[in-house]
Amino acid sequence: MSKSDKASISVVVPVWNEEAGIPQLREGLAQVQELLRDYGEMEFIFVDDGSTDGTQRALHRHFEPTGNYRVIAHERNQGVGAAFRTGFRHARGEIVCTIDSDCSYRPRGLQLLVQALESGGDIAVASPYHPQGGVEGVPWWRLALSKCCSWGYRRIAPVPLYTYTSIFRAYRRRVIETVSFQGNGFVSASEILVNAARQGYRIVEVPMTLHARKTGRSKMKVARTARAHLQMMRSLISKESYQ
Ligand SMILES: Nc1nc2c(ncn2[C@@H]2O[C@H](COP(=O)(O)OP(=O)(O)O)[C@@H](O)[C@H]2O)c(=O)[nH]1
Ligand SMILES: [Mg+2]
């Protein structure tokens, strides 16, 4: 694909020290390409955020360095929100997706998210905490943080959702071009939704199952992430602009 061509769907994949999971990711993304091939050209943008293991080598080994697969590297770790900003700057698709590189949401679920945009959404979000969603094998302490945060946001955010924390999403291009966010870490996922809702974008939840990761460990720093969420909730309650 030449630089001037526009991909129809871009998939931004933040990765940090995920070497062991890259073969599984390759299989998942091959399935996605097959399922979404009618939507036209797809591109995959891996944002390697200062990995210190062999993640970058594994990405280059498993994904052909064509125009459809790009690896963008941060020299040092900046966080998943910073990785989204980098990925969004490079994405050319009319639809821009973000996914977990550990395949804790099965990549083929992107098809449901893209279909949700076609039925009128501006943002489609995987929602394990929706009554029809599900969670399999995720440690309780990890789940507790996300569930508590989503419970809290649901009460104070401009739009009531069941899940504000998943990063498995599809956005219409205009959303990533017009919604700004400041957070560098996991809180950015919630911040994007809150800011998009304030700007009047339509958010659609798609019930989905969150699975335990098969390789590696969660990168979330629980205490730091909880603090960032609490700070954002405080600013929502006091009606200050978080931006
Ligand atoms: N680029 C980047 N990606 C990250 C960072 N932290 C986590 N990720 C990626 O974000 C996704 C979700 O992170 P994960 O560790 O699985 O967190 P959890 O599933 O919420 O416990 C995975 O693809 C990670 O590789 C980071 O600091 N930078
Ligand atoms: Mg995970």
Side-chain angles (χ1 to χ4, degrees):
M1 190 170 58
S2 78
K3 245 195 148 146
S4 57
D5 284 341
K6 242 187 174 182
S8 299
I9 301 183
S10 303
V11 182
V12 173
V13 192
V15 277
W16 184 32
N17 292 340
E18 298 284 2
E19 180 179 9
I22 302 301
Q24 178 195 5
L25 179 62
R26 184 192 51 187
E27 277 173 36
L29 296 189
Q31 276 181 357
V32 168
Q33 268 184 300
E34 188 55 32
L35 285 170
L36 295 181
R37 71 173 169 204
D38 290 346
Y39 290 87
E41 198 77 54
M42 286 190 81
E43 65 173 1
F44 296 90
I45 301 170
F46 304 98
V47 185
D48 176 43
D49 202 18
S51 293
T52 49
D53 65 356
T55 295
Q56 245 192 82
R57 265 197 315 279
L59 285 171
H60 287 294
R61 196 165 59 242
H62 287 284
F63 296 99
E64 265 180 58
T66 62
N68 294 69
Y69 295 108
R70 285 183 286 161
V71 179
I72 297 161
H74 288 166
E75 255 177 50
R76 54 172 189 85
N77 181 253
Q78 295 176 38
V80 79
F84 289 149
R85 273 193 291 277
T86 299
F88 291 166
R89 258 199 324 275
H90 287 81
R92 296 174 299 212
E94 282 308 314
I95 291 173
V96 179
C97 306
T98 56
I99 69 167
D100 306 64
S101 66
D102 60 4
C103 300
S104 46
Y105 294 94
R106 302 297 186 240
R108 60 178 176 268
L110 275 186
Q111 187 182 28
L112 297 176
L113 299 186
V114 169
Q115 285 166 351
L117 294 190
E118 282 184 317
S119 345
D122 295 304
I123 305 178
V125 188
S127 184
Y129 313 133
H130 186 283
Q132 272 116 48
V135 178
E136 280 180 0
V138 178
W140 69 267
W141 54 266
R142 176 63 198 79
L143 208 53
L145 174 62
S146 294
K147 276 196 158 178
C148 285
C149 287
S150 287
W151 183 89
Y153 283 120
R154 185 174 167 82
R155 270 139 197 89
I156 54 178
V159 59
L161 303 172
Y162 290 101
T163 304
Y164 292 81
T165 47
S166 78
I167 65 169
F168 194 78
R169 295 182 180 175
Y171 301 95
R172 288 202 174 278
R173 172 158 205 92
R174 56 178 174 260
V175 176
I176 64 157
E177 283 176 347
T178 57
V179 175
S180 64
F181 57 100
Q182 310 300 318
N184 284 336
F186 283 92
V187 74
S188 60
S190 311
E191 188 188 357
I192 291 171
L193 290 187
V194 166
N195 291 347
R198 277 182 176 155
Q199 289 175 227
Y201 287 116
R202 181 156 178 251
I203 302 168
V204 181
E205 283 189 281
V206 179
M208 222 170 264
T209 301
L210 169 66
H211 300 269
R213 53 159 69 228
K214 286 188 184 145
T215 59
R217 301 192 283 120
S218 170
K219 308 301 182 303
M220 182 180 283
K221 294 178 179 69
V222 173
R224 186 191 295 179
T225 304
R227 265 199 309 277
H229 279 297
L230 282 174
Q231 198 181 334
M232 188 169 147
M233 287 183 198
R234 263 204 302 273
S235 75
L236 272 172
I237 289 167
S238 64
K239 300 269 194 293
E240 280 169 20
S241 169
Y242 186 72
Q243 293 185 33

